[in-house]
Amino acid sequence: MVDINTHIDFEKIISKKGFLDLEVDPTLDLFAEIEKLKKEKNAIVLAHYYQEPDIQDIADFIGDSLGLAQKAQSTDAEIIVFAGVHFMAETAKILNPHKKVLLPDLNAGCSLSDSAPPALFKAFKDKHPDHLVITYINCSAGMKALSDIICTSSNAQVIVESLPADQKIIFAPDKNLGAWINKQTGRDMLLWNGACMVHEIFSMEKIIKLKVRHPMAKVIAHPECEAPVLALADYIGSTTGILKYAEKSNAQEFIVVTESGILHQMQKASPNKTFIPAPPQNTCACNDCPYMKLNTLEKLYLCMKYELPEIIMDESLRAAAKKPIERMLEISAKLGI
Ligand code: 13P
Ligand code: SF4
């Protein structure tokens, strides 16, 4: 079959648009094509739980941020295709400098990551030289390079607890996760003022109303939510934690306070249970992460076919960003998380 796209300047499209916006033959079975490309190229598709259902179904591994970083570290595939957002693919590249790491759409950013520009953070850090810096993985490589230890929502609490009680700590960039960890551990970490646009938008009032209508429902929430919303929760944890809780719980109904993509795996694991997505403050679909949802099956297919867009990093930045990620992975491995 002749490839009609042979003479297209792919690099130019990527530099302008951030993804390959080529036409895809609508009669193609994209699931079969992606499977074929995986085998031909020795590629692995890693997907976050917030990806659209089709992408989750074609992925080789679905996970939370920690699980994905661990899988990126251990895979022997030659190409890592990251169906997630930029900081996740960048983390995979930091851990695998000699592998090709692809992201279907380079515009898949993260509001939390954007809330911590490295230059501003450095000025803040320099004012507190006696503090150790723990940074949530949802940040740029520049932020990681300024950090002592990276954490995710799965291991933030144990990482903080692994440090001496009198150790002064700056926690960035998520103020909500930081405040929750302060509450759980009794620490007084200095918090950077960042937040996730998806998790900040849940309405406490609407969740209370839902609880009145569904009194037996368990409220399960991600720690990126604000404190008044977390105060309503029966369980707080990472996306993997929330999924496991919903699967093991005897309850039949759950009010799910995180990005809506997670419902796909919940329904698959427990088809007889009812999962109610928590409503945002207005009528928008704000519990969909607009960045996560930039990835589509078509973009995934094109990205694997043409091996673009690729994550490219400056080597000195990569090496500096690797140290705090490795520290996190070592602590997690030691604690069996
Ligand atoms: P986890 O994957 O650690 O649960 O974090 C959720 C998230 O917002 C990722 O962007
Ligand atoms: Fe970032 Fe929030 Fe989207 Fe996760 S859900 S990628 S934290 S904006």
Side-chain angles (χ1 to χ4, degrees):
M1 194 167 65
V2 180
D3 186 348
I4 51 160
N5 295 314
T6 308
H7 300 295
I8 291 175
D9 188 342
F10 298 110
E11 298 289 349
K12 202 169 161 193
I13 299 178
I14 296 296
S15 66
K16 259 177 106 173
K17 301 208 167 168
F19 64 98
L20 290 174
D21 67 337
L22 308 176
E23 251 177 66
V24 177
D25 176 352
T27 63
L28 270 185
D29 175 352
L30 290 183
F31 284 86
E33 292 298 321
I34 290 171
E35 287 299 349
K36 215 158 64 187
L37 288 168
K38 279 188 203 173
K39 286 197 189 84
E40 270 170 33
K41 296 177 185 250
N42 187 16
I44 187 171
V45 176
L46 307 183
H48 191 268
Y49 293 120
Y50 295 165
Q51 291 294 287
E52 62 169 48
D54 280 352
I55 293 183
Q56 292 190 35
D57 290 344
I58 196 76
D60 298 293
F61 179 84
I62 319 166
D64 67 357
S65 304
L66 178 63
L68 289 164
Q70 287 166 329
K71 191 71 191 172
Q73 189 190 37
S74 66
T75 182
D76 51 16
E78 281 166 58
I79 297 181
I80 299 173
V81 189
F82 222 110
V85 291
H86 192 276
F87 76 81
M88 295 176 173
E90 196 172 58
T91 301
K93 184 66 186 178
I94 291 167
L95 293 168
N96 294 284
H98 304 301
K99 288 183 181 169
K100 196 173 256 191
V101 178
L102 305 172
L103 179 66
D105 189 333
L106 290 178
N107 304 306
C110 167
S111 64
L112 193 43
S113 178
D114 290 346
S115 64
L120 278 184
F121 183 75
K122 182 170 183 319
F124 176 72
K125 178 185 161 173
D126 288 348
K127 285 192 191 141
H128 306 283
D130 54 345
H131 284 58
L132 192 123
V133 177
I134 300 183
T135 307
Y136 192 34
I137 199 164
N138 299 38
C139 67
S140 63
M143 274 294 285
K144 289 185 174 80
L146 292 167
S147 308
D148 295 296
I149 316 177
I150 297 302
C151 71
T152 75
S153 51
S154 288
N155 59 20
Q157 184 172 338
V158 293
I159 284 180
V160 170
E161 283 170 343
S162 74
L163 300 170
D166 59 353
Q167 173 65 58
K168 292 180 178 166
I169 300 170
I170 292 174
F171 188 89
D174 189 355
K175 63 177 177 188
N176 294 320
L177 175 62
W180 182 66
I181 300 292
N182 269 345
K183 198 169 158 214
Q184 295 299 106
T185 59
R187 307 262 176 150
D188 185 22
M189 300 188 294
L190 266 184
L191 307 180
W192 182 259
N193 187 19
C196 160
M197 61 192 279
V198 179
H199 289 89
E200 268 210 326
I201 204 86
F202 292 110
S203 159
M204 187 184 72
E205 289 76 15
K206 288 185 184 172
I207 296 171
I208 292 171
K209 280 185 187 160
L210 268 179
K211 273 184 76 144
V212 171
R213 290 215 328 270
H214 302 271
M216 303 304 283
K218 298 282 183 202
V219 177
I220 47 182
H222 196 280
E224 287 174 20
C225 297
E226 291 182 324
V229 166
L230 293 180
L232 301 172
D234 296 289
Y235 175 80
I236 298 168
S238 76
T239 44
T240 297
I242 289 174
L243 268 167
K244 283 190 185 153
Y245 177 88
E247 203 178 335
K248 286 192 190 137
S249 168
N250 291 328
Q252 286 304 305
E253 279 189 316
F254 300 85
I255 298 169
V256 184
V257 199
T258 189
E259 212 268 0
S260 62
I262 199 167
L263 296 170
H264 183 55
Q265 294 303 321
M266 284 181 167
Q267 277 152 356
K268 269 176 112 168
S270 313
N272 298 322
K273 293 181 180 175
T274 305
F275 300 102
I276 308 161
Q281 276 154 18
N282 40 36
T283 52
C284 64
C286 319
N287 53 356
D288 272 341
C289 172
Y291 299 109
M292 286 279 183
K293 297 307 198 264
L294 283 177
N295 294 324
T296 61
L297 210 55
E298 284 75 13
K299 284 183 192 168
L300 180 65
Y301 162 71
L302 288 168
C303 155
M304 291 182 73
K305 184 169 160 90
Y306 298 105
E307 301 182 17
L308 283 169
E310 183 182 355
I311 303 290
I312 306 285
M313 290 191 73
D314 169 78
E315 178 50 26
S316 59
L317 176 62
R318 188 201 66 77
K322 190 177 179 204
K323 285 184 200 152
I325 300 175
E326 282 184 330
R327 223 171 142 188
M328 168 186 83
L329 292 171
E330 277 160 25
I331 297 173
S332 287
K334 221 185 267 173
L335 297 172
I337 300 171

